[in-house]
Amino acid sequence: MKYGCGLLRNGTTGAVMVGLVCGLYVCSGQCDKVEVIELSNWTITNQNGSLTIANQTLPLGIYSAFAPQVLDSYNDVGLRYLAYDNFTFSNFFQFDVHHFNRGHINLTFHGIDTVSEIRLNHQLLGRTDNMFVRYSYEVSSLLQAENFLEVEIQSPVVAALARANALKEAKKSVPPECPNERYHGECHMNMLRKMQASFSWDWGPAAPSAGIWKNVELEIYEVAVIREVDVDVSRVNGSYWNMHIRCFLDAGGWQNFNGRLVLYAVELLDRPVVVDRYAIKNISHLAPVIEFDQAVPNGKVVTWWPNGYGEQKLYPLHFTLKTWLGPDGPEVRSKTKSHKSLRVGFRTLDLVEDPAPDGVGNTFLFRVNGVEMFMKGSNYIPSHLLPEMQTNEQISHLLRSAKEAHMNMLRVWGGGVYESDYFYQLADSLGLLIWQDMMFACAMYPVNDEFLSSVREEVRQNAMRLSHHPSVAIFVTNNENEAALVQNWYGTLFERDRFESEYRELYLANVIHELKLVSHSSRPQPLVSSPSNGKASEPDNYISSNPQDNQNGDVHFYDYTKDGWDPGIFPRPRFVSEFGFQSFPGAYAWQRSKGEDDDLLGLITHRQHHPLGNVPVIALVERHLPLPFPENENYATALIYFSQIAQAMATKVETELYRSLRDTPHRTMGALYWQLNDVWVAPSWSSIDFYGNWKLLHYWARDFLAPISIVALYEKSTDSLNISLICDQLEVDPRELNVVANVHLWSQLLPRQSTSWDVTLRPNGVQYDKVIAISDLLQGEFTRTNAFLELQLRRGQDVISRTHFFPSSIAGAVGIEDPGLEIASRTCLNTTNVVRNSVSISIQVKRPAVFVYLELLKPYRYTLSENGFMQTEPMHVVYLTFDAPLCARLLRKSDLRVLTVNDFMR
Ligand code: BMA
């Protein structure tokens, strides 16, 4: 709770007494700040009073309050009744108004989910219909000594249905109506400005929350407060940067006013900057903004770089504002000082869409600080399906995991939420560029006045909040809605003209229009959709006949009918902002999430929302790995483990292909796989499971996204391997670089044959090293089934990067036998800072162990130094690091599951 002075708290009744016991004369000189009083003690009651819970603190929602187990077992369906009910969130608070004589008291709701009516002391304050919007009400005339605040939140399912029915009656239906049956979801998500995925998705359940997911505050001030500050940083010339600063204010009154702003930037400027011109010139109360430019000498600035390219230097800026009414100036009238602090980074960023080297269409690449960079990363969905349960700790774990895997870009996907300030601040300091969708995904949307005005407010508020972050690289108005429209995903063909014009009205006339309010010189113009043809969609007025054109813009690519381990099946686009394969989270994650009596395979099937069910996962597994028959007692264990290998390998191959295409005429410059994280334990495309543990894919991503990588991709037509050496570093030491090609027999430890050759790397580029015919490698005793290849990029004897090539399916390989695996020793290592503890696991084998997989059977978050690796030497040590300071008690053999593909060979 933040407050300036004299806040009284009456804890005994559960009510909070907030009082400004110091009137102006009592604390002048101390009270000259905006007072912010959080209303944090709430009671929730359902419509008929049968459910009630008191003493709840924000953030709050019906599922977290009444049924936090909604993500376990079959509870997504079993507890759905909560989403059909209406709930009242109430807060009783006392307020000492006795000495109170200041200008405005705003009651500000930073996030209500979603459709509600707000009453203060039984007077209607207003209605809300957008969880992404901040609502603020001037309440000074309504406040009393004892106050009763009620937020009546309507069932989101019922509210969405009512809106859909109204549109239907007006012959203006907006599809899709309902999700695929397999989702066990709810209909009409597109009717509400609410996290779209809360009504279900192909990776998530329906848990349509209702609640207050951000703070509720009384803000007390005289004239105006600083709400957001946008800082557009641009390079003027060799000697200066410019900060174009806009302070967006909220003013409670009906009159124009005056103000004086001071900017402190101790690391950048020798003295504070006083913006005085509004002391004379009026600031409009309708859209109050203070705008000015501030030059910063180049010599003061260390440039901000994305992860992998340099440091992420951020500079604190601190703003204070005094505002007053009339000509007398601050000394006479204002005791209100509003503050805002933020950090900025100095970088340039453009999206380069120039004629492409293949002569057709345009490039689509990000250039940061003048350097063309390959964007490596993933797609981010909300860290929790219940918005009130999204924690900084979880966000931090996910973003740090992305950084550890060498990602430099995450796409905040349009079916979730605009993330918290903490998320973007962390992205700034980790160097993760953010591709920011606005929250529209996989649907058509209504365009009536009410909806559009709510959307405009949503876009305005969120764009103003996010725009100053150096991490925010680009805004995009929607996910896949252009493709959905032109490819008739939702049966819009029968009224194509209406849907086209509605599409343009929503995204061009409204969303883009608002986004342009925060246009930056160092940020590309917003894109309308992902995928889209980027600038080439302009002549089509942003509805192109093929928004998935490989020669323009970005594409999303999925094909489950072919072999994902074969690089030949993938397209050659400019930028791939989505692609991926499903897998199942580890067996222990299922154990934690399933009910005692639940059948595991039954639960997997229930949570598999893909319209094709488990077929694509099983088909890919069966192409390569020895999956037992379903009757086999080890079927589920093998299926889970193999699904992770199959996903990791397919994503590796696809990503490596895209990375290797950067210096070809295709000029592919980005690969963001779908998806980083999960909202429950379920079959999904994620590389990190619901509990934060890495699937094999994430361990592998840390290798295949490494700044220097060796890539060996099979080319069917010539039966050869294309060896490419990828280097994202801007400078590289050329000495002693060599590649070693080891041929292994499946039946023997250590390579049977080795060849090596000297190589070079191309800084920030790809060195196309060699094309090797498979027949040249596999001669004599080696056949396609008894041998496999390992390629290492080395400096001298040190291995920088390693990859494998398996000439036959692993299920059909000859010589894979019981590896005689033993875990030889486990030692507990306490790191000095005690925050993390690490366990070393020594693994001994007598024969090659294929894709060694380790899983901890304890409910802790942990990371391994590697996982899913080929062990071809007799002894190998892996480190297991707990996120929490735990160690010694966890060392029993039975706490660790170790699997190899060998265990399942027939
Ligand atoms: C794309 C995404 C998501 C979806 C994913 C996997 O369509 O935008 O909507 O979850 O593919 O199917």
Side-chain angles (χ1 to χ4, degrees), residues 755-792:
T755 38
S756 78
W757 61 92
D758 290 343
V759 295
T760 53
L761 287 173
R762 178 172 168 186
N764 203 29
V766 181
Q767 180 69 33
Y768 298 101
D769 182 52
K770 247 187 208 283
V771 179
I772 310 179
I774 299 295
S775 53
D776 288 349
L777 285 165
L778 299 180
Q779 290 175 344
E781 65 174 315
F782 303 118
T783 67
R784 278 170 199 263
T785 50
N786 74 2
F788 65 94
L789 301 170
E790 180 198 23
L791 289 129
Q792 300 176 345

Side-chain angles (χ1 to χ4, degrees), residues 657-892:
L657 171 75
Y658 298 142
R659 288 187 79 190
S660 72
L661 292 173
R662 78 170 277 175
D663 289 328
T664 66
H666 301 293
R667 199 84 175 99
T668 306
M669 283 301 279
L672 312 179
Y673 69 76
W674 184 269
Q675 70 204 62
L676 183 73
N677 51 321
D678 258 345
V679 295
W680 68 339
V681 178
S684 92
W685 295 256
S686 78
S687 63
I688 301 179
D689 77 17
F690 174 60
Y691 298 110
N693 285 318
W694 294 7
K695 291 176 167 176
L696 286 190
L697 172 56
H698 209 82
Y699 288 101
W700 287 34
R702 192 171 51 184
D703 291 334
F704 67 69
L705 295 178
I708 297 182
S709 295
I710 181 164
V711 169
L713 297 174
Y714 180 64
E715 174 112 33
K716 238 187 211 150
S717 59
T718 52
D719 192 28
S720 56
L721 275 186
N722 292 331
I723 317 277
S724 313
L725 306 172
I726 296 173
C727 177
D728 293 334
Q729 291 175 357
L730 305 184
E731 280 172 29
V732 71
D733 178 355
R735 284 172 302 169
E736 288 187 78
L737 291 169
N738 62 91
V739 166
V740 175
N742 290 323
V743 187
H744 289 262
L745 284 174
W746 284 110
S747 56
Q748 252 183 36
L749 286 180
L750 304 176
R752 184 86 173 161
Q753 178 186 292
S754 272
T755 38
S756 78
W757 61 92
D758 290 343
V759 295
T760 53
L761 287 173
R762 178 172 168 186
N764 203 29
V766 181
Q767 180 69 33
Y768 298 101
D769 182 52
K770 247 187 208 283
V771 179
I772 310 179
I774 299 295
S775 53
D776 288 349
L777 285 165
L778 299 180
Q779 290 175 344
E781 65 174 315
F782 303 118
T783 67
R784 278 170 199 263
T785 50
N786 74 2
F788 65 94
L789 301 170
E790 180 198 23
L791 289 129
Q792 300 176 345
L793 172 64
R794 295 186 182 193
R795 184 181 305 283
Q797 292 301 309
D798 299 335
V799 179
I800 302 174
S801 167
R802 154 195 342 254
T803 191
H804 291 92
F805 173 67
F806 306 105
S808 75
S809 105
I810 289 166
V814 173
I816 302 182
E817 286 171 27
D818 177 2
L821 184 145
E822 297 217 3
I823 296 179
S825 69
R826 301 177 300 281
T827 324
C828 189
L829 311 170
N830 284 309
T831 50
T832 41
N833 67 10
V834 234
V835 179
R836 291 181 158 230
N837 285 333
S838 190
V839 183
S840 79
I841 303 164
S842 304
I843 302 163
Q844 288 186 358
V845 295
K846 299 196 176 68
R847 277 170 289 279
V850 183
F851 300 135
V852 181
Y853 173 81
L854 299 155
E855 186 184 8
L856 183 73
L857 309 177
K858 286 273 172 187
Y860 302 123
R861 209 170 64 202
Y862 64 97
T863 319
L864 293 153
S865 54
E866 60 189 308
N867 207 1
F869 50 89
M870 297 292 294
Q871 183 167 343
T872 52
E873 70 276 16
M875 182 148 96
H876 193 69
V877 180
V878 172
Y879 296 92
L880 185 154
T881 305
F882 296 99
D883 273 19
L886 304 152
C887 187
R889 282 179 297 109
L890 291 154
L891 293 180
R892 279 176 296 143

Side-chain angles (χ1 to χ4, degrees), residues 620-663:
L620 187 59
V621 164
E622 283 184 334
R623 279 179 197 268
H624 298 280
L625 298 161
L627 186 66
F629 293 115
E631 304 73 54
N632 190 303
E633 55 173 348
N634 294 322
Y635 178 74
T637 307
L639 182 61
I640 288 172
Y641 165 42
F642 289 173
S643 74
Q644 291 202 21
I645 298 173
Q647 175 198 34
M649 182 63 92
T651 313
K652 168 179 153 83
V653 168
E654 191 170 355
T655 308
E656 288 179 340
L657 171 75
Y658 298 142
R659 288 187 79 190
S660 72
L661 292 173
R662 78 170 277 175
D663 289 328

Side-chain angles (χ1 to χ4, degrees), residues 257-259 276-283 324:
F257 56 95
N258 298 90
D276 231 358
R277 65 174 175 280
Y278 295 100
I280 304 156
K281 195 177 155 194
N282 273 350
I283 303 171
W324 63 91

Side-chain angles (χ1 to χ4, degrees), residues 507-537:
Y507 300 115
L508 302 179
N510 287 276
V511 180
I512 293 263
H513 180 266
E514 297 303 312
L515 281 174
K516 287 198 169 160
L517 291 176
V518 290
S519 281
H520 275 200
S521 38
S522 284
R523 180 175 298 135
Q525 288 301 308
L527 293 171
V528 183
S529 192
S530 173
S532 83
N533 295 338
K535 122 177 165 185
S537 57

